[in-house]
Amino acid sequence: MKEKYKYPEDIQISFPIEKDNFSQQNNDEIRYILSIIFSKWQSSSNTRTLIVLLKNPSNARANIEYSDRTTNKLIRLINRLNEEHSQNVVYKKLVLLNTCPVRTNHIRKLTKDKFESVTFHQKNKKYGIQTTNLQCFKSVLKSNTRTDFLIATGDLNSVPCKYIRELMKKSYQDILELISQQTNSGLFALQLGNDNLLLSSDYTKHPLASYKGYDHITLSPIKLRQQWIVKK
């Protein structure tokens, strides 16, 4: 049963008609990619796409009736930054990707049994879903020019299931290695008010790490270091 979070009604957004294979595989159990267009900013100058790396997807779909708290918070944040021009750039498109594409509204529900069950029921079994997830990320890099990246997975060490935790960490490293090869792209983490930019684990914070409003959140630049862990 999907929770009913609608997308913000006061911000004009739309969903591109995705013809890629990965979008076609999105369903109630898996989401490889979710792209959101900010209608107001399409004709602005100096526009870019913001690619966001999260832990795993929840309920949000390319359907105005079904969003989730994380997605709505990101939409409101980016719209506010666009309004303020605080990043010296306007983000016309938001692309949400994950370290694991299996949907769940709480990480404790993502177990090895659930992961294997979802994998078994996928129609396309040529590749495992984690391999397909990485291929999706590569496809997004090819099809989107002028991109910035927001790393917002939260602490992967806190994932309860060891099997899922290690799977996510491997995906995280593979994706950050791909990001490290990009040139002319900004790399950001969420700065929540005056809090420390990074978690004690060196992972970056998740949009729901603060239950306060989105109005005190900013994007702060980060760099990659050895083992593809981020730093200030």
Side-chain angles (χ1 to χ4, degrees):
M1 183 73 171
K2 298 187 286 289
E3 292 180 85
K4 199 70 174 285
Y5 281 97
K6 289 188 176 182
Y7 284 88
E9 295 181 353
D10 56 326
I11 300 174
Q12 284 190 313
I13 61 169
S14 61
F15 307 101
I17 299 174
E18 304 280 14
K19 297 181 180 179
D20 62 275
N21 182 46
F22 307 103
S23 298
Q24 303 302 320
Q25 294 184 63
N26 289 347
N27 55 44
D28 284 348
E29 294 185 315
I30 277 184
R31 192 190 76 207
Y32 288 110
I33 180 173
L34 177 62
S35 299
I36 299 165
I37 292 173
F38 291 89
S39 305
K40 180 178 179 178
W41 309 105
Q42 290 307 294
S43 60
S44 300
S45 59
N46 195 26
T47 59
R48 298 178 76 88
T49 294
L50 183 65
I51 298 174
V52 184
L53 179 63
L54 298 161
K55 193 175 286 165
N56 69 286
S58 181
N59 295 317
R61 290 154 168 76
N63 177 325
I64 203 67
E65 294 293 319
Y66 289 104
S67 185
D68 54 49
R69 291 191 302 147
T70 298
T71 304
N72 282 358
K73 199 162 189 177
L74 286 168
I75 288 172
R76 291 197 175 279
L77 167 63
I78 301 309
N79 188 69
R80 194 204 85 214
L81 296 179
N82 284 347
E83 293 278 4
E84 296 174 350
H85 292 277
S86 59
Q87 299 297 122
N88 298 315
V89 66
V90 170
Y91 293 115
K92 65 177 181 178
K93 185 179 179 183
L94 192 61
V95 179
L96 305 187
L97 302 168
N98 298 273
T99 63
C100 175
V102 178
R103 292 183 187 270
T104 180
N105 57 12
H106 200 292
I107 193 62
R108 68 173 179 269
K109 297 179 182 178
L110 185 47
T111 62
K112 181 179 179 181
D113 286 346
K114 178 177 175 63
F115 180 87
E116 292 180 341
S117 174
V118 168
T119 301
F120 179 79
H121 288 102
Q122 293 311 299
K123 294 179 181 178
N124 180 8
K125 292 191 175 66
K126 184 177 180 180
Y127 302 105
I129 58 177
Q130 287 300 106
T131 300
T132 303
N133 193 54
L134 188 62
Q135 290 175 335
C136 177
F137 196 91
K138 292 177 180 178
S139 175
V140 169
L141 293 181
K142 281 186 178 180
S143 60
N144 289 274
T145 58
R146 293 179 55 79
T147 56
D148 287 341
F149 300 92
L150 171 60
I151 311 301
T153 58
D155 187 0
L156 296 184
N157 289 321
S158 68
V159 175
C161 174
K162 180 180 179 181
Y163 179 86
I164 300 299
R165 183 168 64 247
E166 295 306 313
L167 176 149
M168 285 182 168
K169 285 184 175 182
K170 174 65 167 60
S171 176
Y172 179 88
Q173 291 184 350
D174 289 343
I175 289 171
L176 263 63
E177 183 170 4
L178 290 175
I179 290 175
S180 74
Q181 298 167 12
Q182 305 305 303
T183 58
N184 302 316
S185 293
L187 182 63
F188 299 96
L190 294 174
Q191 177 78 56
L192 309 180
N194 295 321
D195 294 346
N196 290 332
L197 179 61
L198 302 180
L199 298 166
S200 59
S201 62
D202 282 341
Y203 286 105
T204 54
K205 294 180 179 178
H206 186 274
L208 298 183
S210 170
Y211 289 97
K212 299 177 183 178
Y214 60 89
D215 55 335
H216 75 303
I217 305 176
T218 57
L219 303 187
S220 291
I222 53 175
K223 297 179 182 179
L224 296 177
R225 68 184 189 196
Q226 198 172 11
Q227 284 84 48
W228 313 115
I229 302 298
V230 299
K231 66 177 181 179
K232 294 183 185 179

